[in-house]
Amino acid sequence: MSKKNRHLTIGVDEDIPFSQSAILGLQHILAMDVYVPPFILATALALSPGDAAGLIQSTFLGAGLASLIQVLFYLRLPVCQGPSFIPLGAIIGIYMGSKNLGTVLGASIVGAILVIILGYSGIYKYIVRNFIPSIVSGTIIMIVGLTLLPSAFVNNIYIEGNGLTMKQNILLAFITAASLIFFSSLGNYITSKLKRIFQISSVIISLGIGTFCAYLMGGFSTQAIKDTSFFSMPKILFLDYDIHFEASAIITMIIIYMVLLAETTGTWYAVSSVMVKPLNDTQINRGVIGEGIGCLLAALVGATPVTGYSTNAGIISITGVASRKVFVVASGWFIVLSFLGKLSAIINSIPAAVIGGVFAVVCIIILLNGFRVVKNLDFSERELYIIGVPLMFTIGLLFIPAGLKASAPQFLQYLIGSPIAVGAIVAIIMNKLIPIEKY
């Protein structure tokens, strides 16, 4: 039996019934938590409720269009695009300086076009080939999982609100995570047919159990769902925003896009690791082009820059389903949700602690997939430093005091705000600087 068959229940190019792909696609959307970045922006920029809702819906639309571009035409891997956290600080800074979201979108368009050019020129594949071997890519995957994990706890689990205490939210996260692990593992002890049902549906089952428990605790309300209109339009560039081009904003966003490529490359490696199928130069080049086109489309529909979500790799590892059809349907879900406010409200109403329970498990799986990439390498002191020092930098940046970060120059603040990018850069530098031992 091949490695692929041992790790995957359904392969990348295998067909799957639409009813199953609809449920599986929804699982990915629920686990991705894509409404969080636009929610953070809307809060930081003090947008009106209507503008905030429009930004969230635009984010769904941008994610859906960008995902379709990557899954069907360019990267062709089972991965969905969603709003990146990396540009948030830069976007807030640009907006505060211009008081116009059109300036942010204009800078995003220019940056996205340059990313497309970078992909078509073929330069990026040489960067990956020469600077990102297995030990570096495996380290980056571990960094991605490690970086996301604190967010699961701090932003989703160790919180109070919606009628729930912190202890109740911790209990909810535990119940959800335990349910996910139980149903995902149940297939090892029952018949193949039931295994398929429980394994591929484990995420949505656990989310359902967690939400029901939240309801029993008084922490789930349907009021927001009732108050939301069934159909509403997202905010679109040229219709709702006037586009502006400012040199400082463009330079800032170009730098952000370079960091963004480091983040998304880690996601590609994470997904390819789960599939046990190495990335080739052609895929990487096409992925960069798709990333640029996706970010361009996102800007045109009023959304912030998008990136591949590593949570997809974790869900694939749990369910064993890597069919691209699932991700095409997930893209369709995003697009539908961007116009159907009622459905978006249902997803947004899932308690944060329930999402956090799934998110935490997914982060650990991503981290261990990175370990899987490097575990067969010959370890000497060199390899220990190449892996360990970037992880040390990543942890240091995760806990850097806010005052120290604020005292750094603006450019460094953007970089410090992305432990994934810094960790990746350090891994690349360490691999080049430390000489290979000669025997």
Side-chain angles (χ1 to χ4, degrees):
M1 183 179 291
S2 68
K3 285 185 177 181
K4 173 185 172 183
N5 290 332
R6 286 202 302 268
H7 290 289
L8 299 180
T9 304
I10 300 174
V12 177
D13 296 315
E14 290 184 45
D15 195 12
I16 184 173
F18 178 78
S19 57
Q20 289 187 21
S21 61
I23 294 174
L24 293 167
L26 187 59
Q27 284 188 151
H28 282 277
I29 290 176
L30 293 174
M32 287 172 68
D33 219 4
V34 297
Y35 65 88
V36 173
F39 178 79
I40 292 172
L41 278 178
T43 303
L45 303 181
L47 298 182
S48 67
D51 288 340
L55 178 61
I56 292 173
Q57 288 179 259
S58 294
T59 298
F60 279 122
L61 181 57
L65 294 175
S67 297
L68 281 178
I69 287 291
Q70 283 287 45
V71 175
L72 288 178
F73 304 110
Y74 287 94
L75 186 62
R76 294 180 63 82
L77 283 179
V79 59
C80 276
Q81 303 289 105
S84 174
F85 285 82
I86 287 176
L88 294 185
I91 290 172
I92 292 170
I94 293 171
Y95 182 88
M96 291 303 182
S98 64
K99 300 299 180 183
N100 193 325
L101 199 58
T103 303
V104 174
L105 299 176
S108 297
I109 288 174
V110 176
I113 292 172
L114 288 180
V115 171
I116 295 171
I117 295 172
L118 183 63
Y120 272 113
S121 68
I123 295 173
Y124 195 70
K125 71 179 180 182
Y126 295 107
I127 295 174
V128 172
R129 182 189 301 162
N130 294 315
F131 293 95
I132 312 180
S134 295
I135 189 169
V136 174
S137 64
T139 302
I140 292 173
I141 295 170
M142 285 191 279
I143 287 170
V144 169
L146 181 64
T147 302
L148 295 176
L149 189 58
S151 176
F153 286 93
V154 176
N155 298 330
N156 294 80
I157 299 174
Y158 296 151
I159 59 173
E160 294 183 353
N162 296 324
L164 295 177
T165 65
M166 185 180 297
K167 291 180 179 179
Q168 287 176 312
N169 278 315
I170 293 172
L171 178 60
L172 271 180
F174 175 80
I175 291 171
T176 306
S179 300
L180 174 59
I181 295 169
F182 173 77
F183 285 105
S184 178
S185 304
L186 194 60
N188 296 325
Y189 306 100
I190 55 181
T191 63
S192 59
K193 184 176 181 179
L194 286 176
K195 173 182 179 179
R196 180 185 177 92
I197 293 173
F198 284 119
Q199 186 178 19
I200 67 178
S201 304
S202 55
V203 174
I204 204 163
I205 291 173
S206 62
L207 288 171
I209 291 173
T211 302
F212 179 69
C213 290
Y215 173 75
L216 295 178
M217 294 179 185
F220 177 73
S221 173
T222 59
Q223 191 59 47
I225 301 172
K226 294 176 182 177
D227 293 342
T228 303
S229 59
F230 189 80
F231 178 84
S232 58
M233 289 290 293
K235 298 281 187 178
I236 305 293
L237 186 64
F238 300 117
L239 294 179
D240 299 287
Y241 305 110
D242 294 325
I243 190 170
H244 294 277
F245 297 100
E246 291 186 4
S248 59
I250 291 171
I251 292 172
T252 299
M253 197 57 69
I254 289 173
I255 294 170
I256 293 298
Y257 271 117
M258 295 304 102
V259 178
L260 197 66
L261 281 178
E263 176 193 38
T264 201
T265 302
T267 295
W268 300 345
Y269 278 113
V271 173
S272 66
S273 172
V274 173
M275 294 163 51
V276 196
K277 185 179 180 182
L279 286 172
N280 57 50
D281 289 347
T282 301
Q283 273 184 304
I284 291 171
N285 252 21
R286 292 176 65 86
V288 173
I289 298 170
E291 186 86 2
I293 294 175
C295 289
L296 177 60
L297 290 175
L300 291 175
V301 299
T304 55
V306 294
T307 185
Y309 266 46
S310 298
T311 49
N312 296 147
I315 301 300
I316 292 170
S317 185
I318 292 170
T319 63
V321 179
S323 173
R324 286 192 300 121
K325 184 175 180 180
V326 170
F327 292 84
V328 172
V329 175
S331 305
W333 272 116
F334 274 132
I335 295 172
V336 168
L337 288 170
S338 70
F339 294 99
L340 299 182
K342 191 75 73 175
L343 289 177
S344 297
I346 292 172
I347 290 179
N348 292 346
S349 295
I350 297 175
V354 174
I355 296 291
V358 171
F359 197 21
V361 175
V362 168
C363 291
I364 286 296
I365 290 173
I366 293 170
L367 189 152
L368 294 177
N369 278 325
F371 175 75
R372 179 187 291 169
V373 172
V374 302
K375 70 176 182 178
N376 293 324
L377 298 175
D378 293 328
F379 272 73
S380 65
E381 190 173 359
R382 177 181 186 272
E383 282 70 31
L384 292 177
Y385 283 130
I386 292 172
I387 296 171
V389 173
L391 291 175
M392 180 182 69
F393 268 84
T394 301
I395 294 172
L397 289 180
L398 285 173
F399 297 102
I400 188 171
L404 180 59
K405 178 181 176 181
S407 66
Q410 193 69 44
F411 164 70
L412 285 181
Q413 287 187 39
Y414 298 152
L415 194 59
I416 291 171
S418 176
I420 294 175
V422 173
I425 292 169
V426 173
I428 291 169
I429 292 173
M430 294 293 290
N431 181 61
K432 286 296 182 182
L433 287 183
I434 302 178
I436 299 174
E437 294 183 15
K438 296 180 180 180
Y439 299 95

